[in-house]
Amino acid sequence: MAPTAQQQLALRQKALEEQEKRSTTASGSSSSGGAAETVDKGNKRVAHQTAPAAATGGLVMPRVSIIPGHTNLGLAFRQQVVEKFVQIMSQMYKNPQEVNEKALQMEADIAKVSFHMVTYRNKSIQAIAHLKQQVSEASGAASTAATVKTEKSSAKELIVAPPKNGQPAPNSSTAATSAQKQNYSVAPTTSQRAFGGSDPKFWSDQDFHTAMRKYLLTEDVLVVEGYPLIQGKKIDAENRRDGIQQYIAMSGKITPERITQTRRNCCRCKKEFTVDFEGNYVNGEGGCVYHWGKAFSRRVSGEGIAAKRNCCAEDSASPGCQVAAYHVADTIPSLSGFVASQGVKAKPEHRHGVYAIDCEMIYTVGGMELARLTIVDRQLKCVYETLVRPKQRIIDCNTRFSGLKMEQFTGKLGTNSPLTTIKTIEEVHKDLLGGGLINEETILIGHSLESDLLSMKFIHRNIVDTSLVFPHRRGRPFKRGTTFLT
C-alpha cells in the first residue's frame, strides 16, 4: 500500500535531518578555512563558501582552432571553456605552457565527441566540476556530493549556451537571460566586467578593443572560410600607387581557374553561359529567368508539405518569376591589386579602432565588384562612406538587395541624392590605409566578411565574423541571417 501524504512528509523530514547530521560531522572534520557554519535551531544557516580561485598570474590564454566537421560549435563559446580550464589548471600545475597544452587538449577531446551545442555544454560543465574537485582534494579540503553539486551550478552560471531561435533557455539564471537578450553567445567574464561596468557603452576604446580580441578568427579559420590572404611572398611589383604596396591574393573561395574560365554558371538561374577572354558575353547568352526568393518548406492545403518560393509563393521547381537581360556570376574579376594592412602602424587617434564594415556589390562583366562601402564605429557613428566606381562594365545593379541604381554611377541621379561621392578602388585604399583609419591593430567586424574583403581587394587579419560567433543551430554550411542578429 502506498504511503499517505503525511507519511511521505515524515519520511522526507527524517531524511533531511540525517543529511544535516552527516553534513555537520563532515564540516567538523574539515579545515576551518572552508568549513560550513553551524548555527542554532531557528536561525538562518550559512552555506559553505569555497575558496576563491587563484588568479592566472598574467597567463597568456591559448587560442582554440577550428575542428573539421564540428564547425557548429561557436569559437567564442569554445574559447570561454578553454579559459575556464586554464584558470582552474593554473592551480594544479606550475608550468604555464603545460597548463595551456592540457587545457587545449581537454577542450579538443570534448569538442570532437560533441555534435551539438547542448552536448558540448554539458560535457564542459562536468569537466569543470571534475577539475575543481581535483583542486579541492589536492588542497586537503573535504569533498562531498553537495559540494560537487554546487560546483556544477557555478559552472552553469559561468558558461551560457547560445540562445535557441532567439529565446532564452528554460530555467536559466538571471545573468544568463540578460546575456542572451543582448545576443551574447558567452556570458561576460570577470575581466570584461572590470572594464568600467558590465555595459560596453561605458568602456573606453582600449577596453573595448581588448574585449573584442577574444573573438578574433585564427589563421586556420581565415583559410577555411576563404578570407583573402597574401599569396606567399609574391608581390605585384608593377603597381605601387601612393606608397601603398599591392599584392596578389589567394582565397579558398575564389580560385584563379574560376576567374579565367569562359564557361560560367549563373548564380541566379544556375544555367551555364559563355563569355570571351575579356569577360564580354557571347551572342545568344541573354535572358536570365530566375526566382529572387529562397525556397521554404511550408504546409499547403491539399498538398501537405511543399517547397515554396517566398518571392512568388510558387513551387521551387517552377519557372522563374523575374527576367533579366543577362546571366551573372558571383566571382571577382581578378586576384591582383590587393592591399594589406600588414605593417601599417597605428596613429594615436586610431590605435584601438574597432569598426563594423558593410559592402554592397553589383554585377559587372567580370563578376561582382564593390559599389558601396560603409564603415561605422562602436558608437554606430558613420566614419566612412562612399560609392565605388567598378572597373568593368555594369550588367546589373542588384537593386533589390543593394539599394543602388544605375543612375548613381552615370551622374543622372542629381545632387539631391543622399550619397553622391564616388571614388575608384585605389582612392578607397588610399583613404583607409594612407589616412590611417585602418591599420594592423584595427579590428573589423562583419557578417561573412570574406565576401566584403574580396570585393574591397583588402587583406586584413584581425577579423570578428558574426556568422561564426553566432553559429546556425544546424551547423555549417548554414549561417544565420543578419535579421536574426538584429
PDB file of all heavy atoms in Angstrom, residues 54-89:
ATOM      1  N   ALA A  54      42.397  30.852  -7.745  1.00  0.00           N
ATOM      2  CA  ALA A  54      43.650  31.588  -7.878  1.00  0.00           C
ATOM      3  C   ALA A  54      43.717  32.289  -9.215  1.00  0.00           C
ATOM      4  O   ALA A  54      43.192  31.827 -10.204  1.00  0.00           O
ATOM      5  CB  ALA A  54      44.836  30.613  -7.727  1.00  0.00           C
ATOM      6  N   ALA A  55      44.355  33.438  -9.216  1.00  0.00           N
ATOM      7  CA  ALA A  55      44.488  34.189 -10.461  1.00  0.00           C
ATOM      8  C   ALA A  55      45.466  33.491 -11.392  1.00  0.00           C
ATOM      9  O   ALA A  55      46.309  32.709 -10.974  1.00  0.00           O
ATOM     10  CB  ALA A  55      44.974  35.614 -10.164  1.00  0.00           C
ATOM     11  N   THR A  56      45.343  33.781 -12.677  1.00  0.00           N
ATOM     12  CA  THR A  56      46.215  33.136 -13.655  1.00  0.00           C
ATOM     13  C   THR A  56      47.589  33.762 -13.712  1.00  0.00           C
ATOM     14  O   THR A  56      48.452  33.288 -14.442  1.00  0.00           O
ATOM     15  CB  THR A  56      45.575  33.208 -15.047  1.00  0.00           C
ATOM     16  OG1 THR A  56      45.363  34.587 -15.383  1.00  0.00           O
ATOM     17  CG2 THR A  56      44.248  32.482 -15.059  1.00  0.00           C
ATOM     18  N   GLY A  57      47.810  34.865 -12.972  1.00  0.00           N
ATOM     19  CA  GLY A  57      49.143  35.440 -12.942  1.00  0.00           C
ATOM     20  C   GLY A  57      49.595  35.982 -14.274  1.00  0.00           C
ATOM     21  O   GLY A  57      50.767  35.885 -14.626  1.00  0.00           O
ATOM     22  N   GLY A  58      48.695  36.605 -15.031  1.00  0.00           N
ATOM     23  CA  GLY A  58      49.080  37.158 -16.331  1.00  0.00           C
ATOM     24  C   GLY A  58      49.332  36.105 -17.378  1.00  0.00           C
ATOM     25  O   GLY A  58      50.061  36.352 -18.334  1.00  0.00           O
ATOM     26  N   LEU A  59      48.767  34.920 -17.209  1.00  0.00           N
ATOM     27  CA  LEU A  59      48.976  33.829 -18.155  1.00  0.00           C
ATOM     28  C   LEU A  59      48.362  34.161 -19.509  1.00  0.00           C
ATOM     29  O   LEU A  59      47.249  34.656 -19.589  1.00  0.00           O
ATOM     30  CB  LEU A  59      48.336  32.556 -17.602  1.00  0.00           C
ATOM     31  CG  LEU A  59      48.587  31.252 -18.372  1.00  0.00           C
ATOM     32  CD1 LEU A  59      50.046  30.868 -18.254  1.00  0.00           C
ATOM     33  CD2 LEU A  59      47.707  30.144 -17.824  1.00  0.00           C
ATOM     34  N   VAL A  60      49.109  33.925 -20.570  1.00  0.00           N
ATOM     35  CA  VAL A  60      48.615  34.171 -21.920  1.00  0.00           C
ATOM     36  C   VAL A  60      47.650  33.057 -22.292  1.00  0.00           C
ATOM     37  O   VAL A  60      48.004  31.885 -22.284  1.00  0.00           O
ATOM     38  CB  VAL A  60      49.779  34.231 -22.926  1.00  0.00           C
ATOM     39  CG1 VAL A  60      49.253  34.439 -24.343  1.00  0.00           C
ATOM     40  CG2 VAL A  60      50.736  35.348 -22.542  1.00  0.00           C
ATOM     41  N   MET A  61      46.406  33.435 -22.595  1.00  0.00           N
ATOM     42  CA  MET A  61      45.391  32.443 -22.883  1.00  0.00           C
ATOM     43  C   MET A  61      45.620  31.803 -24.250  1.00  0.00           C
ATOM     44  O   MET A  61      45.886  32.504 -25.224  1.00  0.00           O
ATOM     45  CB  MET A  61      44.003  33.089 -22.854  1.00  0.00           C
ATOM     46  CG  MET A  61      43.572  33.532 -21.472  1.00  0.00           C
ATOM     47  SD  MET A  61      43.360  32.113 -20.370  1.00  0.00           S
ATOM     48  CE  MET A  61      42.924  32.941 -18.838  1.00  0.00           C
ATOM     49  N   PRO A  62      45.524  30.483 -24.356  1.00  0.00           N
ATOM     50  CA  PRO A  62      45.672  29.816 -25.656  1.00  0.00           C
ATOM     51  C   PRO A  62      44.451  30.064 -26.521  1.00  0.00           C
ATOM     52  O   PRO A  62      43.379  30.402 -26.027  1.00  0.00           O
ATOM     53  CB  PRO A  62      45.825  28.341 -25.284  1.00  0.00           C
ATOM     54  CG  PRO A  62      45.076  28.212 -23.988  1.00  0.00           C
ATOM     55  CD  PRO A  62      45.278  29.510 -23.265  1.00  0.00           C
ATOM     56  N   ARG A  63      44.592  29.890 -27.830  1.00  0.00           N
ATOM     57  CA  ARG A  63      43.512  30.115 -28.776  1.00  0.00           C
ATOM     58  C   ARG A  63      43.039  28.779 -29.338  1.00  0.00           C
ATOM     59  O   ARG A  63      43.849  27.945 -29.758  1.00  0.00           O
ATOM     60  CB  ARG A  63      43.978  31.011 -29.930  1.00  0.00           C
ATOM     61  CG  ARG A  63      44.511  32.371 -29.489  1.00  0.00           C
ATOM     62  CD  ARG A  63      43.390  33.230 -28.928  1.00  0.00           C
ATOM     63  NE  ARG A  63      42.372  33.459 -29.934  1.00  0.00           N
ATOM     64  CZ  ARG A  63      42.468  34.410 -30.865  1.00  0.00           C
ATOM     65  NH1 ARG A  63      43.526  35.198 -30.900  1.00  0.00           N
ATOM     66  NH2 ARG A  63      41.513  34.579 -31.752  1.00  0.00           N
ATOM     67  N   VAL A  64      41.736  28.593 -29.348  1.00  0.00           N
ATOM     68  CA  VAL A  64      41.189  27.365 -29.917  1.00  0.00           C
ATOM     69  C   VAL A  64      41.255  27.440 -31.439  1.00  0.00           C
ATOM     70  O   VAL A  64      41.275  28.518 -32.029  1.00  0.00           O
ATOM     71  CB  VAL A  64      39.729  27.153 -29.466  1.00  0.00           C
ATOM     72  CG1 VAL A  64      39.654  26.978 -27.972  1.00  0.00           C
ATOM     73  CG2 VAL A  64      38.855  28.310 -29.910  1.00  0.00           C
ATOM     74  N   SER A  65      41.306  26.306 -32.073  1.00  0.00           N
ATOM     75  CA  SER A  65      41.336  26.227 -33.535  1.00  0.00           C
ATOM     76  C   SER A  65      40.125  25.437 -34.014  1.00  0.00           C
ATOM     77  O   SER A  65      39.525  24.658 -33.267  1.00  0.00           O
ATOM     78  CB  SER A  65      42.623  25.550 -34.026  1.00  0.00           C
ATOM     79  OG  SER A  65      42.746  24.251 -33.476  1.00  0.00           O
ATOM     80  N   ILE A  66      39.768  25.658 -35.262  1.00  0.00           N
ATOM     81  CA  ILE A  66      38.588  25.009 -35.819  1.00  0.00           C
ATOM     82  C   ILE A  66      38.846  23.514 -36.001  1.00  0.00           C
ATOM     83  O   ILE A  66      39.959  23.087 -36.310  1.00  0.00           O
ATOM     84  CB  ILE A  66      38.200  25.653 -37.164  1.00  0.00           C
ATOM     85  CG1 ILE A  66      36.822  25.194 -37.610  1.00  0.00           C
ATOM     86  CG2 ILE A  66      39.237  25.354 -38.232  1.00  0.00           C
ATOM     87  CD1 ILE A  66      36.276  25.966 -38.783  1.00  0.00           C
ATOM     88  N   ILE A  67      37.821  22.701 -35.733  1.00  0.00           N
ATOM     89  CA  ILE A  67      37.907  21.248 -35.877  1.00  0.00           C
ATOM     90  C   ILE A  67      37.024  20.842 -37.050  1.00  0.00           C
ATOM     91  O   ILE A  67      35.816  21.107 -37.032  1.00  0.00           O
ATOM     92  CB  ILE A  67      37.455  20.539 -34.590  1.00  0.00           C
ATOM     93  CG1 ILE A  67      38.356  20.947 -33.414  1.00  0.00           C
ATOM     94  CG2 ILE A  67      37.475  19.029 -34.773  1.00  0.00           C
ATOM     95  CD1 ILE A  67      37.944  20.324 -32.102  1.00  0.00           C
ATOM     96  N   PRO A  68      37.588  20.242 -38.091  1.00  0.00           N
ATOM     97  CA  PRO A  68      36.772  19.846 -39.250  1.00  0.00           C
ATOM     98  C   PRO A  68      35.600  18.960 -38.838  1.00  0.00           C
ATOM     99  O   PRO A  68      35.761  18.018 -38.070  1.00  0.00           O
ATOM    100  CB  PRO A  68      37.771  19.092 -40.148  1.00  0.00           C
ATOM    101  CG  PRO A  68      39.106  19.627 -39.753  1.00  0.00           C
ATOM    102  CD  PRO A  68      39.004  19.918 -38.276  1.00  0.00           C
ATOM    103  N   GLY A  69      34.414  19.289 -39.352  1.00  0.00           N
ATOM    104  CA  GLY A  69      33.220  18.523 -39.036  1.00  0.00           C
ATOM    105  C   GLY A  69      32.509  18.954 -37.773  1.00  0.00           C
ATOM    106  O   GLY A  69      31.460  18.413 -37.438  1.00  0.00           O
ATOM    107  N   HIS A  70      33.077  19.928 -37.045  1.00  0.00           N
ATOM    108  CA  HIS A  70      32.463  20.390 -35.804  1.00  0.00           C
ATOM    109  C   HIS A  70      32.366  21.911 -35.804  1.00  0.00           C
ATOM    110  O   HIS A  70      32.531  22.561 -34.764  1.00  0.00           O
ATOM    111  CB  HIS A  70      33.281  19.925 -34.588  1.00  0.00           C
ATOM    112  CG  HIS A  70      33.285  18.441 -34.407  1.00  0.00           C
ATOM    113  ND1 HIS A  70      34.044  17.613 -35.204  1.00  0.00           N
ATOM    114  CD2 HIS A  70      32.606  17.625 -33.543  1.00  0.00           C
ATOM    115  CE1 HIS A  70      33.856  16.355 -34.819  1.00  0.00           C
ATOM    116  NE2 HIS A  70      32.992  16.338 -33.827  1.00  0.00           N
ATOM    117  N   THR A  71      32.110  22.507 -36.974  1.00  0.00           N
ATOM    118  CA  THR A  71      32.033  23.961 -37.070  1.00  0.00           C
ATOM    119  C   THR A  71      30.725  24.516 -36.521  1.00  0.00           C
ATOM    120  O   THR A  71      30.535  25.725 -36.487  1.00  0.00           O
ATOM    121  CB  THR A  71      32.174  24.404 -38.540  1.00  0.00           C
ATOM    122  OG1 THR A  71      31.251  23.674 -39.358  1.00  0.00           O
ATOM    123  CG2 THR A  71      33.588  24.152 -39.036  1.00  0.00           C
ATOM    124  N   ASN A  72      29.787  23.635 -36.106  1.00  0.00           N
ATOM    125  CA  ASN A  72      28.551  24.125 -35.500  1.00  0.00           C
ATOM    126  C   ASN A  72      28.769  24.592 -34.064  1.00  0.00           C
ATOM    127  O   ASN A  72      27.889  25.193 -33.468  1.00  0.00           O
ATOM    128  CB  ASN A  72      27.482  23.026 -35.524  1.00  0.00           C
ATOM    129  CG  ASN A  72      27.930  21.782 -34.791  1.00  0.00           C
ATOM    130  OD1 ASN A  72      29.110  21.429 -34.815  1.00  0.00           O
ATOM    131  ND2 ASN A  72      27.007  21.091 -34.146  1.00  0.00           N
ATOM    132  N   LEU A  73      29.943  24.305 -33.498  1.00  0.00           N
ATOM    133  CA  LEU A  73      30.271  24.786 -32.160  1.00  0.00           C
ATOM    134  C   LEU A  73      30.914  26.161 -32.286  1.00  0.00           C
ATOM    135  O   LEU A  73      31.914  26.329 -32.972  1.00  0.00           O
ATOM    136  CB  LEU A  73      31.231  23.819 -31.463  1.00  0.00           C
ATOM    137  CG  LEU A  73      30.765  22.354 -31.367  1.00  0.00           C
ATOM    138  CD1 LEU A  73      31.846  21.507 -30.718  1.00  0.00           C
ATOM    139  CD2 LEU A  73      29.459  22.256 -30.582  1.00  0.00           C
ATOM    140  N   GLY A  74      30.349  27.159 -31.636  1.00  0.00           N
ATOM    141  CA  GLY A  74      30.860  28.525 -31.746  1.00  0.00           C
ATOM    142  C   GLY A  74      32.266  28.653 -31.199  1.00  0.00           C
ATOM    143  O   GLY A  74      32.584  28.156 -30.112  1.00  0.00           O
ATOM    144  N   LEU A  75      33.140  29.336 -31.931  1.00  0.00           N
ATOM    145  CA  LEU A  75      34.529  29.509 -31.493  1.00  0.00           C
ATOM    146  C   LEU A  75      34.603  30.336 -30.213  1.00  0.00           C
ATOM    147  O   LEU A  75      35.416  30.053 -29.330  1.00  0.00           O
ATOM    148  CB  LEU A  75      35.339  30.173 -32.610  1.00  0.00           C
ATOM    149  CG  LEU A  75      35.619  29.310 -33.841  1.00  0.00           C
ATOM    150  CD1 LEU A  75      36.379  30.109 -34.886  1.00  0.00           C
ATOM    151  CD2 LEU A  75      36.418  28.077 -33.471  1.00  0.00           C
ATOM    152  N   ALA A  76      33.774  31.371 -30.108  1.00  0.00           N
ATOM    153  CA  ALA A  76      33.799  32.201 -28.908  1.00  0.00           C
ATOM    154  C   ALA A  76      33.364  31.403 -27.679  1.00  0.00           C
ATOM    155  O   ALA A  76      33.929  31.556 -26.591  1.00  0.00           O
ATOM    156  CB  ALA A  76      32.897  33.423 -29.096  1.00  0.00           C
ATOM    157  N   PHE A  77      32.382  30.538 -27.847  1.00  0.00           N
ATOM    158  CA  PHE A  77      31.924  29.690 -26.752  1.00  0.00           C
ATOM    159  C   PHE A  77      33.010  28.711 -26.339  1.00  0.00           C
ATOM    160  O   PHE A  77      33.257  28.490 -25.138  1.00  0.00           O
ATOM    161  CB  PHE A  77      30.652  28.957 -27.185  1.00  0.00           C
ATOM    162  CG  PHE A  77      29.991  28.176 -26.097  1.00  0.00           C
ATOM    163  CD1 PHE A  77      29.359  28.828 -25.052  1.00  0.00           C
ATOM    164  CD2 PHE A  77      30.008  26.797 -26.108  1.00  0.00           C
ATOM    165  CE1 PHE A  77      28.746  28.116 -24.037  1.00  0.00           C
ATOM    166  CE2 PHE A  77      29.388  26.085 -25.109  1.00  0.00           C
ATOM    167  CZ  PHE A  77      28.763  26.741 -24.059  1.00  0.00           C
ATOM    168  N   ARG A  78      33.692  28.117 -27.317  1.00  0.00           N
ATOM    169  CA  ARG A  78      34.791  27.196 -27.007  1.00  0.00           C
ATOM    170  C   ARG A  78      35.950  27.921 -26.334  1.00  0.00           C
ATOM    171  O   ARG A  78      36.603  27.378 -25.440  1.00  0.00           O
ATOM    172  CB  ARG A  78      35.264  26.516 -28.288  1.00  0.00           C
ATOM    173  CG  ARG A  78      34.251  25.566 -28.909  1.00  0.00           C
ATOM    174  CD  ARG A  78      34.787  24.973 -30.199  1.00  0.00           C
ATOM    175  NE  ARG A  78      36.090  24.356 -29.985  1.00  0.00           N
ATOM    176  CZ  ARG A  78      36.985  24.171 -30.944  1.00  0.00           C
ATOM    177  NH1 ARG A  78      36.714  24.562 -32.178  1.00  0.00           N
ATOM    178  NH2 ARG A  78      38.138  23.599 -30.672  1.00  0.00           N
ATOM    179  N   GLN A  79      36.227  29.155 -26.767  1.00  0.00           N
ATOM    180  CA  GLN A  79      37.305  29.920 -26.153  1.00  0.00           C
ATOM    181  C   GLN A  79      37.003  30.199 -24.684  1.00  0.00           C
ATOM    182  O   GLN A  79      37.895  30.168 -23.842  1.00  0.00           O
ATOM    183  CB  GLN A  79      37.495  31.242 -26.912  1.00  0.00           C
ATOM    184  CG  GLN A  79      38.627  32.120 -26.395  1.00  0.00           C
ATOM    185  CD  GLN A  79      39.992  31.505 -26.616  1.00  0.00           C
ATOM    186  OE1 GLN A  79      40.188  30.770 -27.569  1.00  0.00           O
ATOM    187  NE2 GLN A  79      40.925  31.800 -25.740  1.00  0.00           N
ATOM    188  N   GLN A  80      35.739  30.441 -24.357  1.00  0.00           N
ATOM    189  CA  GLN A  80      35.343  30.664 -22.964  1.00  0.00           C
ATOM    190  C   GLN A  80      35.625  29.419 -22.127  1.00  0.00           C
ATOM    191  O   GLN A  80      36.091  29.512 -20.982  1.00  0.00           O
ATOM    192  CB  GLN A  80      33.864  31.032 -22.910  1.00  0.00           C
ATOM    193  CG  GLN A  80      33.288  31.179 -21.521  1.00  0.00           C
ATOM    194  CD  GLN A  80      33.748  32.449 -20.840  1.00  0.00           C
ATOM    195  OE1 GLN A  80      34.359  33.291 -21.476  1.00  0.00           O
ATOM    196  NE2 GLN A  80      33.461  32.586 -19.573  1.00  0.00           N
ATOM    197  N   VAL A  81      35.354  28.242 -22.680  1.00  0.00           N
ATOM    198  CA  VAL A  81      35.594  26.991 -21.953  1.00  0.00           C
ATOM    199  C   VAL A  81      37.088  26.793 -21.719  1.00  0.00           C
ATOM    200  O   VAL A  81      37.518  26.415 -20.622  1.00  0.00           O
ATOM    201  CB  VAL A  81      34.995  25.801 -22.727  1.00  0.00           C
ATOM    202  CG1 VAL A  81      35.381  24.487 -22.086  1.00  0.00           C
ATOM    203  CG2 VAL A  81      33.478  25.923 -22.798  1.00  0.00           C
ATOM    204  N   VAL A  82      37.909  27.042 -22.742  1.00  0.00           N
ATOM    205  CA  VAL A  82      39.362  26.883 -22.600  1.00  0.00           C
ATOM    206  C   VAL A  82      39.898  27.811 -21.516  1.00  0.00           C
ATOM    207  O   VAL A  82      40.741  27.418 -20.695  1.00  0.00           O
ATOM    208  CB  VAL A  82      40.061  27.150 -23.948  1.00  0.00           C
ATOM    209  CG1 VAL A  82      41.565  27.270 -23.749  1.00  0.00           C
ATOM    210  CG2 VAL A  82      39.777  26.026 -24.923  1.00  0.00           C
ATOM    211  N   GLU A  83      39.434  29.052 -21.496  1.00  0.00           N
ATOM    212  CA  GLU A  83      39.920  29.991 -20.487  1.00  0.00           C
ATOM    213  C   GLU A  83      39.530  29.547 -19.075  1.00  0.00           C
ATOM    214  O   GLU A  83      40.294  29.744 -18.123  1.00  0.00           O
ATOM    215  CB  GLU A  83      39.362  31.382 -20.782  1.00  0.00           C
ATOM    216  CG  GLU A  83      39.925  32.003 -22.048  1.00  0.00           C
ATOM    217  CD  GLU A  83      39.385  33.387 -22.303  1.00  0.00           C
ATOM    218  OE1 GLU A  83      38.646  33.899 -21.448  1.00  0.00           O
ATOM    219  OE2 GLU A  83      39.704  33.954 -23.355  1.00  0.00           O
ATOM    220  N   LYS A  84      38.352  28.930 -18.942  1.00  0.00           N
ATOM    221  CA  LYS A  84      37.965  28.416 -17.628  1.00  0.00           C
ATOM    222  C   LYS A  84      38.846  27.243 -17.229  1.00  0.00           C
ATOM    223  O   LYS A  84      39.251  27.121 -16.063  1.00  0.00           O
ATOM    224  CB  LYS A  84      36.488  27.995 -17.658  1.00  0.00           C
ATOM    225  CG  LYS A  84      35.935  27.635 -16.285  1.00  0.00           C
ATOM    226  CD  LYS A  84      36.028  28.821 -15.342  1.00  0.00           C
ATOM    227  CE  LYS A  84      35.551  28.460 -13.945  1.00  0.00           C
ATOM    228  NZ  LYS A  84      35.742  29.587 -13.004  1.00  0.00           N
ATOM    229  N   PHE A  85      39.182  26.374 -18.184  1.00  0.00           N
ATOM    230  CA  PHE A  85      40.106  25.276 -17.905  1.00  0.00           C
ATOM    231  C   PHE A  85      41.467  25.804 -17.449  1.00  0.00           C
ATOM    232  O   PHE A  85      42.067  25.282 -16.495  1.00  0.00           O
ATOM    233  CB  PHE A  85      40.281  24.413 -19.160  1.00  0.00           C
ATOM    234  CG  PHE A  85      39.096  23.545 -19.478  1.00  0.00           C
ATOM    235  CD1 PHE A  85      39.007  22.892 -20.697  1.00  0.00           C
ATOM    236  CD2 PHE A  85      38.068  23.360 -18.569  1.00  0.00           C
ATOM    237  CE1 PHE A  85      37.916  22.094 -21.005  1.00  0.00           C
ATOM    238  CE2 PHE A  85      36.974  22.571 -18.860  1.00  0.00           C
ATOM    239  CZ  PHE A  85      36.900  21.937 -20.078  1.00  0.00           C
ATOM    240  N   VAL A  86      41.975  26.821 -18.143  1.00  0.00           N
ATOM    241  CA  VAL A  86      43.277  27.389 -17.789  1.00  0.00           C
ATOM    242  C   VAL A  86      43.241  27.979 -16.387  1.00  0.00           C
ATOM    243  O   VAL A  86      44.174  27.819 -15.599  1.00  0.00           O
ATOM    244  CB  VAL A  86      43.687  28.458 -18.831  1.00  0.00           C
ATOM    245  CG1 VAL A  86      44.927  29.214 -18.364  1.00  0.00           C
ATOM    246  CG2 VAL A  86      43.954  27.812 -20.177  1.00  0.00           C
ATOM    247  N   GLN A  87      42.149  28.676 -16.062  1.00  0.00           N
ATOM    248  CA  GLN A  87      42.031  29.289 -14.744  1.00  0.00           C
ATOM    249  C   GLN A  87      42.101  28.245 -13.635  1.00  0.00           C
ATOM    250  O   GLN A  87      42.739  28.470 -12.601  1.00  0.00           O
ATOM    251  CB  GLN A  87      40.716  30.063 -14.666  1.00  0.00           C
ATOM    252  CG  GLN A  87      40.484  30.738 -13.326  1.00  0.00           C
ATOM    253  CD  GLN A  87      39.131  31.408 -13.240  1.00  0.00           C
ATOM    254  OE1 GLN A  87      38.393  31.442 -14.212  1.00  0.00           O
ATOM    255  NE2 GLN A  87      38.800  31.943 -12.087  1.00  0.00           N
ATOM    256  N   ILE A  88      41.472  27.097 -13.832  1.00  0.00           N
ATOM    257  CA  ILE A  88      41.485  26.055 -12.793  1.00  0.00           C
ATOM    258  C   ILE A  88      42.806  25.288 -12.799  1.00  0.00           C
ATOM    259  O   ILE A  88      43.390  25.019 -11.746  1.00  0.00           O
ATOM    260  CB  ILE A  88      40.297  25.095 -13.004  1.00  0.00           C
ATOM    261  CG1 ILE A  88      38.975  25.865 -12.959  1.00  0.00           C
ATOM    262  CG2 ILE A  88      40.299  23.999 -11.946  1.00  0.00           C
ATOM    263  CD1 ILE A  88      37.767  25.020 -13.289  1.00  0.00           C
ATOM    264  N   MET A  89      43.304  24.939 -13.993  1.00  0.00           N
ATOM    265  CA  MET A  89      44.539  24.160 -14.071  1.00  0.00           C
ATOM    266  C   MET A  89      45.762  24.929 -13.592  1.00  0.00           C
ATOM    267  O   MET A  89      46.773  24.324 -13.224  1.00  0.00           O
ATOM    268  CB  MET A  89      44.759  23.687 -15.511  1.00  0.00           C
ATOM    269  CG  MET A  89      43.812  22.607 -15.972  1.00  0.00           C
ATOM    270  SD  MET A  89      44.188  22.016 -17.622  1.00  0.00           S
ATOM    271  CE  MET A  89      42.978  20.708 -17.812  1.00  0.00           C
TER     272      MET A  89
END
